[in-house]
Amino acid sequence: MSLFLKPFLFLYDTTLSLLLLLFNGGSLEDAAATQGRLEADKNAAESEWIQLQYLWTKTRSVVLLPVFKGLVVMCLVLSIIVFFESFYMNFVILFVKLFRRKPHKVYKWEAMQEDVEVGPDNYPMVLIQIPMYNEKEVFQLSIAAICSLVWPSSRLVVQVVDDSTDPAVREGVDIEIAKWQSQGINIRCERRDNRNGYKAGAMKEALTHNYVKQCDFVAVFDADFQPEPDYLIRAVPFLVHNPDVALVQARWIFVNANKCLMTRMQEMSLNYHFNVEQESGSTRHAFFGFNGTAGVWRISAMEAAGGWKSRTTVEDMDLAVRVGLHGWKFVYLNDLTVRNELPSKFKAYRFQQHRWSCGPANLFRKMTMEIIRNKRVSTWKKFYVIYSFFFVRKVAVHFLTFFFYCIIVPTSVFFPEIYIPSWSTIYIPSLITIFHTMATPRSFYLVIFWILFENVMAMHRTKGTCIGLLEGGRANEWVVTEKLGDALKNKLLSRVVQRKSCYERVNSKEVMVGVYILGCALYGLIYGHTWLHFYLFLQATAFFVSGFGFVGT
């Protein structure tokens, strides 16, 4: 490069000397002196440039290369950890399928029947809570489905826990409640004058009413959840006939999974969560995280563990861990389904994922020592909760997905001397992907889109996890996930969802990461010796598509 530039530097210096002689006057001796000064300056500049090159080379070899190599090793270790965790859970599910180890065979279950003498009084009293906050699009669907449950009306209390601040929504809820009360349903509405503790605070206060004391169990359904009429008939017997069971959790299914590509991606991730993570935890350890809805609790177990707490944004997981540490068992019913709606707007999905990643990490921070000091459960179960339930699935997997596949792998094009083994970039990710997609066979052909989209969302999950672990400013941020209800089924959707300008649709974080990955892809294309740039171009495109708001409805 220096040989190529020397002729141009000579012409530049000569021309500058002649111009000085022409416009400033002077003798040839002056021009020669000026030329000498310019030559000295040029030599000094070249010396400084050589020094900068040397400094950069030393910094790269002494600092950057060891740091990057250490990060690669850390990601390789996390890859192995995540793989074995996924393999273990899928092995448990294979065992369940082969030996048909269903909950009805593990736990006692007998259908509830009216006694000839006492009538329906042998049925336990069940309270159903419907927490909501300005859910104007979906509250009618949920209330109607819950009021249609098959259960003796004299043994059922429906409690609408309404924190709504919109007068129109409050009025609509009151009208809906009055309609069902006229049909003989024991349904009540409980409101408070503040939102302290958000959902957890509302449900905790609602449980303090005198009429709740006669209830044995409480079922929770968020405002967009619609259980089947036989939900209680199938779930409650597990609690009645097994006094050591505290929770029965049903599986979610989605009424709008086919609405757009983003909802299809969500369906794939959540199906894996329910069909693999929840069922393996229930089968192997009789423990899993409560999903916040579509579950029935034993009220005495909740009270023994301290009831609802609002110290994190995952009050459901907090309650489940505390109840589990008291020695209670949980039952997951994969064949008992409850319909609900997936967020179809990208912004709503981002807020939801922030809460779902920040809350568990924050709870992990707050409960680790409490779990270690607990003496009611075995050491093996404590290890499972700390290592598998929290560290691997709530922390490590997010860091691995984002830092390795979106930062380390793209950056590796600048460090060709560091070798990243193909098993970590091809074989292990392929196997983990197969494990995930087996939960949703109909969407297998979308696997490439799912991988790229999950990597994009991993950025928000990683950020939420860091905020939760460090208890940052947004650790307790609560944003209700926006749902559209019946608006999704008709042509009035455009009136419900206001169109945004191009500027408002831009998500700067996704765009910035996309620009970086694109730069790495171009560098890899020009100077690289692998085919890595093909993946980088696809991943950059996924970040740009998300960054410019071309996902969701």
Side-chain angles (χ1 to χ4, degrees):
M1 183 64 73
S2 59
L3 291 175
F4 177 75
L5 290 177
K6 279 185 177 181
F8 295 97
L9 291 174
F10 173 77
L11 290 175
Y12 169 78
D13 295 339
T14 304
T15 304
L16 186 60
S17 300
L18 292 175
L19 289 174
L20 288 172
L21 181 64
L22 178 64
F23 290 103
N24 295 330
S27 63
L28 293 175
E29 291 78 4
D30 294 335
T34 302
Q35 178 68 23
R37 288 195 300 271
L38 290 173
E39 189 69 25
D41 291 341
K42 182 186 71 173
N43 292 334
E46 288 181 350
S47 177
E48 290 179 1
W49 175 246
I50 293 173
Q51 290 178 356
L52 287 175
Q53 285 183 315
Y54 174 77
L55 181 61
W56 164 248
T57 302
K58 293 295 292 184
T59 302
R60 187 179 186 276
S61 61
V62 176
V63 179
L64 296 182
L65 275 174
V67 169
F68 188 75
K69 186 176 182 179
L71 293 174
V72 170
V73 172
M74 181 189 71
C75 289
L76 295 180
V77 172
L78 289 179
S79 295
I80 295 172
I81 289 173
V82 171
F83 169 73
F84 277 106
E85 177 68 14
S86 181
F87 178 81
Y88 165 74
M89 290 189 295
N90 280 272
F91 178 79
V92 173
I93 298 304
L94 180 62
F95 172 81
V96 171
K97 302 300 182 184
L98 290 177
F99 294 94
R100 299 182 179 180
R101 189 180 169 84
K102 294 185 177 181
H104 297 79
K105 294 183 178 181
V106 179
Y107 299 92
K108 185 178 179 181
W109 188 93
E110 293 180 7
M112 301 298 300
Q113 296 179 355
E114 290 190 16
D115 189 274
V116 177
E117 297 181 357
V118 299
D121 289 346
N122 66 317
Y123 280 73
M125 283 291 297
V126 177
L127 171 72
I128 298 181
Q129 288 187 321
I130 314 174
M132 62 176 61
Y133 175 72
N134 294 335
E135 312 269 4
K136 63 179 179 178
E137 307 295 342
V138 294
F139 73 84
Q140 287 180 315
L141 299 173
S142 179
I143 293 177
I146 289 166
C147 290
S148 301
L149 289 172
V150 177
W151 199 258
S153 58
S154 61
R155 312 298 292 171
L156 184 68
V157 181
V158 180
Q159 189 183 63
V160 179
V161 185
D162 186 19
D163 265 5
S164 299
T165 55
D166 187 339
V169 176
R170 292 164 71 103
E171 182 181 358
V173 170
D174 291 337
I175 293 173
E176 190 69 15
I177 290 175
K179 181 182 76 174
W180 288 102
Q181 285 177 338
S182 66
Q183 299 181 30
I185 301 298
N186 186 4
I187 181 171
R188 305 161 182 256
C189 182
E190 301 297 345
R191 293 192 175 101
R192 53 185 186 152
D193 56 3
N194 61 75
R195 289 200 69 212
N196 295 337
Y198 302 108
K199 177 182 174 181
M203 291 192 293
K204 182 175 183 179
E205 183 173 318
L207 288 174
T208 61
H209 295 281
N210 289 330
Y211 63 86
V212 175
K213 296 178 181 179
Q214 61 182 328
C215 298
D216 305 297
F217 312 115
V218 55
V220 181
F221 296 99
D222 284 350
D224 61 308
F225 278 72
Q226 306 162 47
E228 298 297 329
D230 63 346
Y231 176 88
L232 294 178
I233 295 294
R234 297 173 62 184
V236 172
F238 284 101
L239 295 164
V240 172
H241 300 299
N242 301 276
D244 57 344
V245 171
L247 168 67
V248 177
Q249 172 73 57
R251 179 166 61 92
W252 298 2
I253 58 174
F254 313 103
V255 298
N256 65 328
N258 295 324
K259 183 61 187 176
C260 61
L261 186 60
M262 191 183 80
T263 54
R264 291 290 296 273
M265 303 299 101
Q266 293 179 65
E267 182 192 36
M268 293 174 69
S269 300
L270 288 172
N271 279 350
Y272 178 80
H273 168 68
F274 283 103
N275 293 336
V276 178
E277 293 179 345
Q278 295 293 76
E279 186 158 10
S280 65
S282 176
T283 301
R284 185 66 185 86
H285 306 279
F287 172 80
F288 50 84
F290 175 47
N291 295 115
T293 179
V296 188
W297 280 99
R298 188 184 300 273
I299 294 179
S300 60
M302 296 174 63
E303 293 174 346
W308 294 106
K309 291 185 179 180
S310 56
R311 55 181 174 174
T312 68
T313 56
V314 284
E315 72 294 324
D316 45 8
M317 186 181 296
D318 187 350
L319 177 62
V321 174
R322 285 185 283 111
V323 172
L325 292 177
H326 276 68
W328 293 92
K329 295 180 179 180
F330 300 168
V331 177
Y332 171 71
L333 302 179
N334 195 55
D335 58 350
L336 179 60
T337 59
V338 179
R339 292 169 293 157
N340 75 103
E341 181 184 326
L342 294 165
S344 58
K345 296 174 65 176
F346 186 53
K347 184 177 181 180
Y349 185 52
R350 286 175 58 187
F351 278 123
Q352 182 198 68
Q353 293 303 297
H354 171 82
R355 188 173 77 247
W356 286 6
S357 56
C358 178
N362 191 231
L363 184 63
F364 181 40
R365 168 195 172 106
K366 292 179 176 179
M367 289 203 70
T368 300
M369 294 309 301
E370 181 180 343
I371 297 170
I372 293 174
R373 291 192 294 263
N374 184 276
K375 297 181 180 180
R376 296 186 181 92
V377 298
S378 65
T379 302
W380 169 243
K381 189 167 185 177
K382 288 190 287 186
F383 174 79
Y384 167 75
V385 174
I386 292 175
Y387 171 77
S388 179
F389 181 76
F390 272 119
F391 173 70
V392 178
R393 283 187 264 162
K394 312 301 180 186
V395 177
V397 69
H398 301 323
F399 278 97
L400 173 68
T401 305
F402 177 63
F403 279 114
F404 189 47
Y405 300 112
C406 299
I407 301 297
I408 299 299
V409 170
T411 308
S412 66
V413 300
F414 302 114
F415 298 95
E417 55 267 71
I418 294 181
Y419 172 70
I420 299 179
S422 57
W423 59 260
S424 66
T425 56
I426 299 176
Y427 304 121
I428 280 184
S430 298
L431 288 173
I432 293 176
T433 299
I434 291 172
F435 291 154
H436 275 77
T437 53
M438 285 171 59
T440 315
R442 77 185 188 98
S443 298
F444 184 79
Y445 69 99
L446 297 173
V447 63
I448 300 299
F449 298 101
W450 178 79
I451 292 172
L452 298 175
F453 182 69
E454 280 293 292
N455 290 347
V456 173
M457 294 310 303
M459 177 182 68
H460 298 287
R461 294 171 184 143
T462 302
K463 183 182 71 171
T465 300
C466 292
I467 291 173
L469 289 175
L470 302 175
E471 205 157 16
R474 293 182 60 194
N476 295 313
E477 180 185 62
W478 181 282
V479 179
V480 176
T481 304
E482 182 181 357
K483 304 292 175 64
L484 301 176
D486 286 337
L488 286 167
K489 302 176 184 178
N490 55 47
K491 297 180 180 180
L492 299 178
L493 181 62
S494 59
R495 301 181 185 179
V496 178
V497 183
Q498 298 295 326
R499 293 186 178 276
K500 297 181 178 180
S501 65
C502 294
Y503 178 77
E504 291 176 325
R505 288 169 55 183
V506 172
N507 303 299
S508 58
K509 298 181 182 66
E510 285 88 343
V511 173
M512 288 189 292
V513 176
V515 169
Y516 176 74
I517 295 177
L518 178 61
C520 295
L522 293 173
Y523 185 90
L525 177 64
I526 298 172
Y527 299 104
H529 303 287
T530 67
W531 299 100
L532 182 62
H533 53 274
F534 284 107
Y535 158 72
L536 296 182
F537 279 123
L538 289 174
Q539 191 61 71
T541 302
F543 271 97
F544 285 132
V545 169
S546 302
F548 290 107
F550 295 110
V551 290
T553 55

